[in-house]
Amino acid sequence: MGVLLLIFGLLTGTALSALVGLVGSRRRLGFGWTFVISLIFTPLIGLIVALISDPLPAGEKRWGCLATVVGILTLALIAFLAVVIFGTGAAVFAL
């Protein structure tokens, strides 16, 4: 039960940080830095920092290369969780 709560907490924190990163993608700070700040501190602090930074002109978005890295890491995390939850049989299937 404790492991599932830990996994749920990590996934929830990462998902909230990604949502805050989306808010930051329309700001000068960008998605990447907002996402990292949200992961290091809390999503609430990341949201405050994102809202304090200046908005980008004309509704542009600033993703950087971190959006691709976040996608790859998310897929790796899902594969890792499949291994942990379902055992070694899922590891062969995921790869």
Side-chain angles (χ1 to χ4, degrees), residues 41 43 59:
F41 298 108

Side-chain angles (χ1 to χ4, degrees), residues 3-12 14 73-88 90-91 94:
V3 174
L4 290 177
L5 285 175
L6 179 66
I7 291 172
F8 177 74
L10 289 173
L11 288 176
T12 304
T14 305
L73 288 177
T74 303
L75 290 175
L77 179 66
I78 291 171
F80 173 74
L81 290 176
V83 169
V84 169
I85 293 172
F86 299 115
T88 58

Side-chain angles (χ1 to χ4, degrees), residues 43-44 79:
L44 181 63

